[in-house]
Amino acid sequence: MMAYAVPQNIDYRTKARRALARARVELASADDERLPYAMLELRFAMEAITYDRAQAFKEDLPYEEYRTWQPRKVVAVLAGIDPAS
């Protein structure tokens, strides 16, 4: 049997804030060539928020979702969780 590491708590909100700050710097440059970098930083911020929400529901997420840990898959699983139950 293969041993799996238990997912640890990571401060994804701080990661999201830092990515957002970097995106703002890119946008403030007013250089159109920096826009792809701003978009990439915004994507990092959105992914970090997705992972933050996943951590909040980690008891409800199948371990397989942690192994693949792709934002689209995590969002799909989170959408199916009923926090009231």
Side-chain angles (χ1 to χ4, degrees):
M1 180 195 287
M2 182 182 272
Y4 295 113
V6 176
Q8 59 180 321
N9 285 333
I10 297 173
D11 186 2
Y12 285 113
R13 286 185 180 255
T14 297
K15 289 180 177 284
R17 285 185 192 104
R18 288 179 180 163
L20 180 58
R22 290 189 301 267
R24 286 181 173 151
V25 168
E26 296 295 347
L27 290 171
S29 74
D31 181 354
D32 289 346
E33 292 181 4
R34 302 305 304 170
L35 287 177
Y37 301 102
M39 291 170 39
L40 182 61
E41 292 296 347
L42 290 172
R43 178 182 173 151
F44 290 154
M46 290 186 298
E47 287 180 357
I49 294 300
T50 299
Y51 297 150
D52 178 71
R53 292 293 72 219
Q55 276 188 163
F57 292 100
K58 68 182 173 187
E59 290 80 23
D60 299 316
L61 288 173
Y63 184 77
E64 287 301 311
E65 293 306 315
Y66 284 104
R67 291 186 65 202
T68 56
W69 208 242
Q70 297 170 350
R72 182 178 295 150
K73 287 184 178 183
V74 174
V75 168
V77 172
L78 286 173
I81 295 174
D82 180 6
S85 61

